[in-house]
Amino acid sequence: MFLALAIICDDYFVTSLEKICEKLDLSEDVAGATFMAAGSSAPELFASVIGVFITHGDVGVGTIVGSAVFNILCIIGVCGIFAGQVVMLTRWSVFRDSFYYILSVVALIAFIYDEKIVWWESLVLVLMYVGYILVMKFNSSMQKFFTGKPVKNVANGNAAASSEMEDGNASYYVCDDDPSWPLLSAVKPTKAYSRGSVVMVDEIINASPPKYRFPEAGLRIMVTSHFGPKTRLRMASRLIITERQKLVQAANGVETQVIDGKVDIENGNVPEDKPSEEKENDTISPFHIPAGIGSKIKWLISWPLLFILFFTIPNCGKPRWEKFFMLSFILSTVWIAVFSYLMVWMVTIIGFTLGIPDVIMGITFLAAGTSVPDCIASLIVARQGLGDMAVSNTIGSNVFDILVGLGVPWALQTMCVDYGSEVMINSRGLVYSVVLLLGSVALTVSGIHFNGWRLTPKLGVYVLVLYAIFLCFSIMIEYNVFTFVNLPMCME
């Protein structure tokens, strides 16, 4: 099941997300907090619905709490350690999500405190989620209003962080800086670029004889004196690499223009070994046996999964299915829910067999189990350098869990199925769990702050240590160490 979730997240879910961002013109953090969070939290929503309607159990608010702590601490930790690069984070998006999350936790405490949920309380939770989506809709204008800085939607993982762009420009003059001239075939030779003038990318594209495509023209502009020295050094090296690759490809008789309908040198990313990537794409399909012993074994183990997914989800990474990106998003969400349900069921039986109490299973394995899609999806985008998307996904999916995962089933129960009824809830240990939740957010955000708004392995380790501490505390709470919370387990 873990492998199934990994395959579906990697090949279908994240691809459909990228298409959604492209078509709806969303910035990465907004997509992370809305679509990605909703999709990867589908398991919790389904578990919650099953709890309210089918088993009529008290959907362990514990599980959602456990899953929430896991989401924030464990996933950010894993992303920090395994991202393989230092990922920059934006203060605004971290602040916005944490703030809304704290609001929704506070609302949840207020409603659960009297141990029952009435119709207007569930309605408020659902409306709060609508509010969250509105906040996302007007994200850029709100960011301008609060930070006074316009949004920089840097596609390449904020590689050139805004501060870096601005540093060092003041002291640089065009006259010191002739090497940038030869790179730019003169656009308007009459006028030296003054500090304030704006160079239009289009202008360069049109004026230069070889007709550069947008990404290359962009790189050429970022080598000029309008940018800080660090940025220029980085862009110059990228430019050299892309040029060299074009020469190599030309020598091998490969057209570099367009591959699969995509420009291969997008925002200066070096197209590392295209052929291997094409092979990668073949391994997704159940009809191509990959090369290499290891990949053959992996392919054989995952063949049934590949086969089912190949026929049930349109792969919107391929030009033919590109239009169906919404369909593949919904279908992959459904599959994620199915796989998670199976996984949770297996974990429950394993726990029962090994004699681990329910409570501990709920807080540790089940919470981790339902959050596996989140974790995999976040790690995939963090490795692409989209730190904001990864972090917004972890916090956004918690907002989704609380407001939708708990709010919607309760709203259906109290307003549609049986109007005016109440949902009863056991909230004895809740005060503690919620204090843990708020504490985890506060400590994570302060950790990110002291780390200079960067996701690094150091931060990852710090956050995972926090997770271990929280686990110890919550297990002690469940075992009535501090105060009486749970009745003892029944003896067989």
Side-chain angles (χ1 to χ4, degrees):
M1 288 301 118
F2 275 97
L3 181 64
L5 285 170
I7 291 174
I8 197 159
C9 282
D10 203 347
D11 296 344
Y12 297 97
F13 184 64
V14 174
T15 332
S16 65
L17 272 175
E18 285 166 359
K19 286 279 177 286
I20 289 176
C21 294
E22 225 175 88
K23 300 279 190 281
L24 300 185
D25 197 22
L26 300 174
S27 70
E28 40 148 331
D29 52 332
V30 173
T34 48
F35 284 99
M36 189 171 179
S40 48
S41 293
E44 283 100 327
L45 177 61
F46 284 93
S48 181
V49 169
I50 290 170
V52 171
F53 293 118
I54 299 172
T55 55
H56 288 292
D58 147 40
V59 181
V61 180
T63 312
I64 283 200
V65 167
S67 150
V69 173
F70 178 90
N71 270 352
I72 289 186
L73 295 181
C74 216
I75 296 181
I76 292 182
V78 167
C79 287
I81 293 172
F82 296 111
Q85 53 181 324
V86 174
V87 181
M88 303 299 292
L89 301 174
T90 319
R91 290 168 197 219
W92 161 253
S93 59
V94 175
F95 165 77
R96 172 198 67 205
D97 294 335
S98 323
F99 180 72
Y100 213 93
Y101 178 50
I102 289 172
L103 276 185
S104 37
V105 172
V106 170
L108 184 69
I109 307 171
F111 294 158
I112 292 185
Y113 197 69
D114 56 356
E115 306 220 337
K116 60 178 192 281
I117 293 285
V118 290
W119 67 270
W120 61 268
E121 294 175 330
S122 56
L123 185 63
V124 169
L125 288 179
V126 178
L127 288 178
M128 277 179 76
Y129 193 69
V130 174
Y132 186 55
I133 292 190
L134 284 178
V135 169
M136 290 304 174
K137 173 88 180 68
F138 299 110
N139 174 47
S140 36
S141 35
M142 286 179 70
Q143 181 168 349
K144 261 191 206 135
F145 180 74
F146 283 112
T147 60
K149 280 185 195 147
V151 184
K152 286 195 171 63
N153 192 0
V154 181
N156 193 19
N158 310 3
S162 45
S163 60
E164 202 174 282
M165 298 276 233
E166 282 139 22
D167 288 349
N169 280 344
S171 55
Y172 269 74
Y173 296 103
V174 182
C175 50
D176 312 341
D177 202 46
D178 251 358
S180 69
W181 279 95
L183 280 169
L184 290 159
S185 0
V187 179
K188 287 185 177 155
T190 48
K191 164 175 158 248
Y193 294 124
S194 62
R195 167 90 182 71
S197 74
V198 174
V199 187
M200 297 313 250
V201 183
D202 308 356
E203 217 169 85
I204 283 194
I205 295 179
N206 295 331
S208 54
K211 279 266 190 280
Y212 297 124
R213 297 199 314 292
F214 188 83
E216 294 158 33
L219 278 183
R220 282 178 156 68
I221 281 178
M222 290 174 90
V223 186
T224 55
S225 53
H226 300 280
F227 293 91
K230 271 190 196 167
T231 310
R232 294 163 61 186
L233 180 62
R234 192 182 276 158
M235 294 309 152
S237 50
R238 283 213 182 145
L239 198 60
I240 293 167
I241 295 170
T242 44
E243 287 299 327
R244 189 177 165 278
Q245 286 226 312
K246 275 163 77 179
L247 291 175
V248 172
Q249 286 172 337
N252 298 340
V254 181
E255 252 314 295
T256 130
Q257 279 313 91
V258 171
I259 295 182
D260 284 349
K262 284 195 192 68
V263 175
D264 57 346
I265 312 183
E266 207 54 73
N267 62 34
N269 270 348
V270 186
E272 293 148 323
D273 311 338
K274 251 337 196 229
S276 74
E277 213 169 86
E278 304 246 303
K279 276 184 200 142
E280 276 286 290
N281 280 350
D282 289 348
T283 54
I284 300 175
S285 102
F287 308 115
H288 294 276
I289 301 176
I293 309 286
S295 19
K296 272 199 176 69
I297 295 171
K298 188 182 164 203
W299 180 81
L300 271 177
I301 295 174
S302 53
W303 191 85
L305 298 170
L306 292 174
F307 188 76
I308 297 173
L309 297 178
F310 186 81
F311 284 107
T312 49
I313 308 178
N315 183 1
C316 60
K318 301 214 165 84
R320 190 175 34 172
W321 298 109
E322 209 171 358
K323 294 194 285 292
F324 300 102
F325 61 97
M326 220 49 211
L327 183 65
S328 40
F329 175 76
I330 292 163
L331 286 174
S332 47
T333 305
V334 171
W335 271 115
I336 288 176
V338 171
F339 291 147
S340 314
Y341 178 78
L342 288 172
M343 186 162 66
V344 169
W345 167 70
M346 290 169 184
V347 168
T348 316
I349 289 181
I350 294 170
F352 183 74
T353 316
L354 301 178
I356 306 172
D358 280 0
V359 196
I360 292 185
M361 287 305 280
I363 283 180
T364 51
F365 294 99
L366 290 182
T370 51
S371 296
V372 166
D374 277 321
C375 192
I376 295 172
S378 283
L379 184 57
I380 293 169
V381 293
R383 288 188 74 96
Q384 293 169 3
L386 304 174
D388 287 336
M389 194 172 195
V391 174
S392 295
N393 170 41
T394 58
I395 304 179
S397 63
N398 286 352
V399 175
F400 182 88
D401 283 349
I402 290 180
L403 299 182
V404 179
L406 293 173
V408 167
W410 289 342
L412 289 174
Q413 176 64 30
T414 52
M415 288 154 69
C416 307
V417 178
D418 181 4
Y419 178 73
S421 64
E422 295 172 349
V423 179
M424 303 309 289
I425 278 162
N426 163 22
S427 69
R428 272 194 295 252
L430 237 150
V431 179
Y432 297 100
S433 329
V434 165
V435 168
L436 286 185
L437 265 186
L438 293 177
S440 70
V441 180
L443 285 171
T444 309
V445 173
S446 54
I448 293 177
H449 175 69
F450 287 122
N451 202 23
W453 299 92
R454 298 192 312 277
L455 244 183
T456 54
K458 193 176 71 180
L459 179 73
V461 172
Y462 156 77
V463 177
L464 286 179
V465 169
L466 276 184
Y467 182 58
I469 297 171
F470 278 117
L471 272 188
C472 299
F473 266 105
S474 34
I475 289 173
M476 284 158 80
I477 288 172
E478 293 295 355
Y479 271 140
N480 305 331
V481 176
F482 303 117
T483 166
F484 182 72
V485 176
N486 281 314
L487 297 164
M489 293 279 283
C490 330
M491 301 310 292
E492 293 265 334

